[in-house]
Amino acid sequence: MGGDFGPHCIVPASIACLAEYPSLHLVLVGQSPLLEELIARSPEVDRARLRVEHAGEVIGMDERPAQALRNKPDASMRVALELVRSGRAQACVSAGNTGALMALSRYVLKTLPGIDRPAMMAAVPTRTGYCQLLDLGANVDCSAEHLYQFAVMGSVAAEAMGIVRPRVALLNVGTEDIKGNQQVKLAANLLQQAAGLNYSGFVEGDGLYRGEADVVVCDGFVGNILLKSSEGLAQMISTRIEALFREGAAARLIGALAMPLLRRLRAELAPARHNGASFLGLQGIVVKSHGAAGQEGFKSAIRRALQEVEENLPQRLHGRLEDLLF
Amino acid sequence: MGGDFGPHCIVPASIACLAEYPSLHLVLVGQSPLLEELIARSPEVDRARLRVEHAGEVIGMDERPAQALRNKPDASMRVALELVRSGRAQACVSAGNTGALMALSRYVLKTLPGIDRPAMMAAVPTRTGYCQLLDLGANVDCSAEHLYQFAVMGSVAAEAMGIVRPRVALLNVGTEDIKGNQQVKLAANLLQQAAGLNYSGFVEGDGLYRGEADVVVCDGFVGNILLKSSEGLAQMISTRIEALFREGAAARLIGALAMPLLRRLRAELAPARHNGASFLGLQGIVVKSHGAAGQEGFKSAIRRALQEVEENLPQRLHGRLEDLLF
């Protein structure tokens, strides 16, 4: 029921994913009359693989997580997480209120042994491909131990995505040992001692985009600011390019020729391509779709959940955490 | 003597600035044989306004600030700051080691009464013009009081640059009251109570680029990451656009037409346009030029210093701080 476009985006995206992945089964959780109405618009859909589970309440996008946790036992988000907890679903994908999804996930699914706080991880495009960035806002105050746990989880998750010996780096204001705040310096000490992790040291903001690491670790405050400012800057550059090609007849003509190429670039860098942030460290799979994501974006979030199911990510994390956590 | 290109960039940039501003006098501080040799290449220069002050030592770009402070009394950076302290110069511009410049500035010039730590502020291009972002790395751990002091200094400095009632915002992971870490929430409380400041609340990373504030305040860790990741992303997009217009004959032809326009945009967004970070809160004017800045960039840093001299910024800050600080 969540996100800027709600079921009007999520239902068709889900139906498209069913067509793409023959082994996929989906349960749509929310207000069943509305969901059924939207499903009915696609008569070709295989209802044996698409079920609706009614949930009477909806958590607002601005609702406080604590309130949602206390007052809405029948919220669609919570019902969906209960399906995962009880084993009736293997993953939960939501475009709803991030804070509420995190709070409910922790409450319903619990964290893995040794993990204090789940982290939110998503892919960021770089010069050489992608890097996985975490945390993205779930934890605004982090100790060195939290950063260490994020590094371990990020590394294992990147391996599950097919990256061999992922280079794990700590985001910092410089690459020399003396740089950084207390938490980052202490986390670096912990990571240097960790066997079985390919720790590559500090990475700066520009190094991240140069592709210097496969997994970049920071606290949720920094990660959120980095991600959102990058979105804002990319959007600004894209808007300025369009404006540039509207200034005068010659520019418009050149623009008509150049825009298809530039649109291809925009599509490559578009958030929809890599939409879907994993909540790592829970006893179950939860993927958060960007609230502003459209159908393509939501499909990408479902795909990310599917990949984590196939790799059995929580189990894999559990196994590695026992070796890697102190 | 500092920066990636040293005097080979700084000397010609200085000479160009002298031609541009007839009232400007410059003192070049560093190894005088080298400086004189570089000046001699421009026989037209008005030597009545360009003096060389010899300094025998140079602080390396990777040298530890504490070491530089202790062991190099005759470093060019330190001699330049002494000129400001003694009133023989009105501002110091350096492209050298940022940490050493900050440490030496505090040691030689001292902070203004009521200011615990100087902050580093620079202009960031937005959709609607520019915003001034601080702190940019001088202070990686900040209390709420520090953030409050940065907000006050940023506001006064923006006014001095001609912005009427600058909108001052705190960088945060959300715009609701409950969002953020402890320091940011407490700083918001302080700012809400401050009369004489146009405090506009929280701004997110994307809001900054949408131009939602004139002055954006954060701790130095976050500011540094935001600035460097933005540089890295802009660079990546620019490189990808160029690559796009090299793929095949048709693209190359379109590129030949489109690149002049795109280069104009790149120049508009280029760091050189707004190079020069002000050290605010000192009893004197210090402007840091980006180490990688070329001649245009260094000229922009000199201009920034000139503007602060004309506005008598430290005096102005001193006057307003007495009203605004608790």
Side-chain angles (χ1 to χ4, degrees):
Chain A
M1 301 300 295
D4 298 355
F5 313 109
H8 292 272
C9 157
I10 293 169
V11 172
S14 301
I15 290 171
C17 266
L18 285 174
E20 220 169 288
Y21 299 96
S23 67
L24 179 68
H25 288 64
L26 290 172
V27 186
L28 299 176
V29 186
Q31 286 163 356
S32 85
L34 173 58
L35 296 176
E36 289 292 356
E37 189 197 315
L38 290 167
I39 294 170
R41 293 184 192 172
S42 305
E44 78 291 356
V45 67
D46 176 6
R47 288 299 306 254
R49 297 193 286 128
L50 183 68
R51 198 161 67 71
V52 169
E53 177 101 12
H54 181 71
E57 293 169 312
V58 173
I59 296 171
M61 291 301 273
D62 295 324
E63 208 163 322
R64 292 193 179 208
Q67 229 156 13
L69 194 61
R70 223 176 307 119
N71 305 333
K72 293 198 170 161
D74 199 31
S76 53
M77 205 182 259
R78 184 160 188 167
V79 172
L81 289 165
E82 289 288 356
L83 290 178
V84 175
R85 191 194 53 77
S86 64
R88 282 174 296 155
Q90 289 173 281
C92 165
V93 181
S94 169
N97 181 323
T98 310
L101 184 63
M102 182 53 86
L104 280 165
S105 295
R106 287 180 72 167
Y107 181 78
V108 173
L109 298 175
K110 314 296 181 212
T111 55
L112 290 168
I115 294 297
D116 297 329
R117 306 171 176 190
M120 215 170 133
M121 181 177 93
V124 174
T126 69
R127 279 198 190 199
T128 53
Y130 287 90
C131 80
Q132 301 291 330
L133 179 67
L134 77 166
D135 177 49
L136 292 174
N139 308 282
V140 291
D141 287 298
C142 285
S143 68
E145 284 73 24
H146 294 137
L147 293 174
Y148 177 77
Q149 291 174 9
F150 298 167
V152 171
M153 294 196 291
S155 176
V156 176
E159 273 174 27
M161 288 171 187
I163 301 167
V164 182
R165 276 182 59 77
R167 295 161 301 162
V168 178
L170 278 170
L171 192 61
N172 200 357
V173 299
T175 51
E176 306 88 5
D177 285 352
I178 53 155
K179 290 292 176 74
N181 56 29
Q182 208 52 31
Q183 305 91 279
V184 167
K185 283 188 222 173
L186 290 172
N189 282 343
L190 293 176
L191 284 164
Q192 270 150 7
Q193 295 160 39
L197 262 193
N198 186 11
Y199 174 62
S200 63
F202 294 140
V203 66
E204 295 187 71
D206 47 349
L208 179 151
Y209 281 108
R210 278 198 299 270
E212 289 174 6
D214 301 305
V215 176
V216 174
V217 177
C218 58
D219 73 43
F221 194 95
V222 173
N224 179 290
I225 298 288
L226 191 158
L227 199 71
K228 286 193 185 151
S229 62
S230 293
E231 278 173 21
L233 175 59
Q235 192 67 49
M236 177 179 100
I237 293 176
S238 160
T239 307
R240 289 242 191 143
I241 289 177
E242 280 173 20
L244 205 62
F245 287 127
R246 278 197 305 267
E247 285 172 15
R252 262 200 295 272
L253 186 64
I254 299 168
L257 295 166
M259 282 318 283
L261 278 170
L262 291 170
R263 272 198 207 101
R264 215 177 77 199
L265 176 68
R266 197 163 60 185
E268 267 173 48
L269 299 176
R273 276 277 293 244
H274 45 92
N275 179 47
S278 308
F279 284 8
L280 297 179
L282 294 164
Q283 298 186 28
I285 295 167
V286 180
V287 171
K288 169 70 175 67
S289 169
H290 198 298
Q295 288 189 34
E296 278 313 307
F298 200 82
K299 280 167 68 180
S300 147
I302 295 176
R303 267 185 226 112
R304 186 157 180 137
L306 198 56
Q307 192 179 22
E308 293 183 12
V309 170
E310 281 164 357
E311 296 293 334
N312 206 350
L313 187 56
Q315 200 55 39
R316 206 162 155 159
L317 270 171
H318 179 58
R320 290 298 303 280
L321 289 174
E322 298 207 320
D323 301 336
L324 283 165
L325 291 183
F326 301 112
Chain B
M1 302 301 295
D4 298 353
F5 313 110
H8 293 272
C9 157
I10 293 169
V11 172
S14 301
I15 290 172
C17 266
L18 285 172
E20 220 170 288
Y21 300 96
S23 68
L24 179 67
H25 288 64
L26 289 173
V27 186
L28 298 176
V29 186
Q31 286 163 355
S32 85
L34 175 59
L35 296 176
E36 289 292 356
E37 187 198 315
L38 291 167
I39 294 170
R41 293 185 192 171
S42 306
E44 77 290 356
V45 68
D46 177 5
R47 287 301 304 254
R49 297 193 286 126
L50 184 67
R51 197 161 67 71
V52 169
E53 177 102 11
H54 181 70
E57 292 169 311
V58 173
I59 296 171
M61 293 300 273
D62 295 324
E63 209 162 323
R64 293 194 179 209
Q67 228 155 13
L69 195 61
R70 225 176 306 121
N71 305 333
K72 294 200 170 160
D74 199 32
S76 53
M77 204 182 259
R78 183 160 189 167
V79 174
L81 289 165
E82 288 290 355
L83 290 178
V84 175
R85 193 195 52 77
S86 63
R88 283 175 296 156
Q90 289 173 282
C92 165
V93 180
S94 169
N97 181 324
T98 310
L101 184 63
M102 180 53 85
L104 280 165
S105 297
R106 287 180 72 169
Y107 181 78
V108 173
L109 299 175
K110 314 295 179 212
T111 55
L112 290 167
I115 295 296
D116 298 328
R117 305 173 177 190
M120 215 172 135
M121 182 177 93
V124 175
T126 68
R127 277 198 192 200
T128 55
Y130 286 92
C131 81
Q132 301 291 330
L133 179 67
L134 77 166
D135 177 49
L136 291 175
N139 308 281
V140 291
D141 286 299
C142 286
S143 68
E145 285 73 24
H146 294 138
L147 294 173
Y148 177 78
Q149 291 174 11
F150 297 168
V152 170
M153 294 196 292
S155 176
V156 176
E159 274 174 26
M161 289 172 188
I163 300 167
V164 182
R165 277 182 58 73
R167 295 161 302 162
V168 178
L170 278 170
L171 191 61
N172 200 357
V173 298
T175 52
E176 306 90 4
D177 285 352
I178 52 154
K179 289 291 176 77
N181 57 27
Q182 208 53 29
Q183 305 91 282
V184 167
K185 284 188 220 173
L186 290 171
N189 282 343
L190 294 175
L191 284 164
Q192 271 150 7
Q193 295 160 39
L197 261 195
N198 186 12
Y199 174 61
S200 63
F202 294 139
V203 67
E204 295 186 71
D206 47 347
L208 179 152
Y209 281 107
R210 278 198 301 269
E212 288 174 6
D214 301 306
V215 177
V216 174
V217 177
C218 59
D219 71 43
F221 194 94
V222 173
N224 179 290
I225 298 288
L226 191 157
L227 200 71
K228 286 193 186 150
S229 63
S230 293
E231 279 173 19
L233 174 60
Q235 192 65 49
M236 177 179 98
I237 293 175
S238 160
T239 307
R240 289 242 192 147
I241 289 177
E242 281 173 21
L244 206 60
F245 287 128
R246 277 198 305 268
E247 285 172 16
R252 262 198 297 270
L253 186 65
I254 299 167
L257 296 165
M259 282 318 285
L261 279 170
L262 291 170
R263 273 200 205 97
R264 216 177 76 201
L265 175 68
R266 197 164 59 183
E268 269 174 48
L269 298 177
R273 275 279 292 249
H274 45 91
N275 178 46
S278 309
F279 284 8
L280 298 178
L282 294 164
Q283 299 185 30
I285 295 168
V286 179
V287 171
K288 170 70 176 65
S289 170
H290 198 299
Q295 288 190 35
E296 279 312 307
F298 200 82
K299 281 168 68 181
S300 149
I302 295 177
R303 270 186 222 110
R304 187 158 180 138
L306 199 57
Q307 192 181 23
E308 293 184 13
V309 171
E310 281 164 357
E311 296 292 334
N312 205 349
L313 188 58
Q315 200 55 41
R316 205 163 156 161
L317 269 171
H318 180 57
R320 289 297 303 282
L321 289 174
E322 296 206 321
D323 300 336
L324 282 166
L325 291 184
F326 299 112

